[in-house]
Amino acid sequence: MLQALEGSQAIARAVALCRPAVVSAYPITPQTHIVENISKLVADGQFDCEFVSVESEFSAASVALGAAMAGSRAYTASASQGILLMAEVLYNIAGMRVPLVMTCANRAVSAPLSIWNDQQDSMAVRDAGWIQLYCADNQEAVDTTIQAYRISERTELPVMVCMDGFTLTHTLEGIDVPEQEQVDSFLPAYHFKRALDPRNPTSVGTLVSPDHYSEARHSHHQALLKAMDDIIAADQDWGAICGRSYGGLLKTIGDPDADIAILSLGSVLGTLEAALSEMPPERSVKLIQLRSFRPFPAEALRQVCADLSHIIVLERAIAPGSGGIVGLEVLAALSSLDKPPRVHNCAAGLGGRDIPMEILPQLLALADEDRPADFQVIDVVLDRLPEEDR
Amino acid sequence: MNAEVRVPTDTLRSKQPRFQGMTAGHRACLGCGEALAARLVTEAAGPDVMVANATGCLEIFTTPWPESAWRVPWMHSLFENTGAIAAGMEAALKAQKKSTKVLAFGGDGGTFDIGFQALSGMLERGHNVLYVCFDNEAYMNTGIQRSSSTPHAAMTTTSPPGKERMGKRHLKKDMVSIVAAHHIPYAATSSVAYPSDIRQKIRRAMAVDGPTFLQIHSPCPLGWGHDGAESIDIARLAVKTGLFPIIELERGGLTGVMPIREPVPVTDYLKRQNRFRHLFSDDLRAEQELEHIQAIADHNIEIYDLTGHGESVYDADGMSIVRRGGMRRA
């Protein structure tokens, strides 16, 4: 049954359905409503867990890590500065190969201070060794949260579920909140075989010499690559239970035989999809929603891009001094195709700047260029800058 | 006692097996105070524990992968999050309805400085965790740099004496008072020179359902500049001079001190360590610093009433007499 729920409220319900025994978080806009809603569920006796209200995001991630290692399913959530404060712990969690799920309510990173949405925060920790899944709408965020626990516990890798701050977290939509029995049938009780146990004492997080470090990093990399199968399987299996699935690693929308594609991550896909139907372009266009950014689904991407002439990669973050982040990875992945499409790369909607439907013709115009132009922030208003900064 | 009954002393020990949470074979330096203190703590705490260990010497010398000296479940995460890791473990064990006690181990760097916030949060939230700080008064793992626990005027590689300086310019942070100010059930100091005091305090803390804290003064022969064989002697002098008071605080109030039978001048303690050798040069500033340090000790003796009233067998001399079968406090 559909219920009108705010994104954060829906996520809090989804988390409760997954029955983590320990939840630890520190409030930060736009993640705050998730923590508040979880607190309320706990206070009302609708969610039985140890809720640890910590004194920082650094401790939030650390409490979740300690709990998972001590044998309990755990959850945390953050955004922006909080993700960056957690960064050291995020690497540590992943390196120890501990199953954990967190929500990143994507927000820009200071300075200049912005509480609004882009994806600079999760992109900043893209190499922490976590699985990163980006959601296009709130129903997907709910379903992905549930899938994330299955993926995490099967792969022994932490999963970051990324949802755009405000655009999703603070937006009311009709949400089908799954039944507890559905989630229970999908998600077995937490069992982490390397959990600490006084009856069988082990040491974890030990010092590793150069004799072993490379092997640890290699196996971590391989585990992420192998996790692609688990991401696909979780999406299919959960789809069989609830009737919704999201394409696994990536999803294509529109004409499959289109010659031109726009690839992006997160809620902007909804805007683009609406734009395609409201103002259909002359050329046939398809959209590619990159759902899994880590692991990066190079092979799946090649399959949906093999016959393209152009692909426009729309970033929600920027690598200053370099340009696109996702764009470079797309370019690298497609370079092994016989006839790789031209990759056009731009960013839009940084720090919460609205992305209107009119962005569609602007993006498609990039493909008119003979050779791809340099990376650009497509919605920058240069008149607002002094001459020397343009 | 029947004079006919004789137990060979070489088998006595094996007939009284004791649990050891941290065993031999680790790679601590000769005379390491921290290694001995950690062994005493885990021995007294018993096997039903789970340890969160901060980055530092203890972590490094006990776990060169694939070896480990620990016989209790043990985890190292980072330098500054030990209080939070322990809190997470405790929350999980509580959810699982298990009685396993969580121990957190950190050095003075991980406790006084970088991990201070996570520790404070853990104490404030009332987690059932026993936090043990092995205080060797500097960042020894990175090669003897000053911490906020380094005593005034001590030489470290980042507080070297020179034309313009006489070692560390600042005072040692009064950590146990800060911890006690969280009004936790039990906070105390101890010294590796007094094993029975450590055992007794660990047992006491283990029985408390709530946050407890024990700061153990643990000499570092390399960092302090003394022979490894002298660690216990030097640790004992720190107590007997009044520079390291052995105290107990409950809910923020002072409830116990180990009295000093005969206070010893601080120079007896300082002159045996290279970290203070610049204070024994022919320099007016050195003389002033020695007076300053004596004043710190005198202040401690006064505020904690360390000379006590009357005779206590549990004073800094009595506590040194530990004989199997003899007087033993714990």
Side-chain angles (χ1 to χ4, degrees), chain B residues 26-27 41 86 117 132 137 141 186-188 190 198 201 223 237 240 247 253 260 264 270 292 301 327-328:
Chain B
H26 57 73
R27 295 165 188 195
V41 167
Q117 174 180 320
V132 182
E137 304 190 321
N141 190 40
Y186 185 68
S190 189
I198 293 177
K201 284 173 175 165
L237 282 170
K240 289 171 79 170
I247 59 171
I260 304 171
V264 172
L270 304 176
H292 188 171
I301 290 168
M327 186 200 72
R328 208 171 137 166

Side-chain angles (χ1 to χ4, degrees), chain A residues 258-263 281 283-286 308-313 341-346 359-374 376 378:
Chain A
D259 178 50
I260 180 166
I262 302 172
L263 178 145
R283 310 173 67 169
S284 185
V285 175
K286 70 176 170 186
L308 291 175
S309 301
H310 297 276
I311 180 166
I312 299 146
V313 179
R342 292 191 183 282
V343 179
H344 310 269
N345 198 186
C346 65
I359 198 172
L360 180 65
Q362 244 186 306
L363 291 171
L364 293 174
L366 292 173
D368 295 339
E369 302 291 329
D370 231 12
R371 53 180 59 217
D374 289 341
Q376 54 181 299
I378 202 168

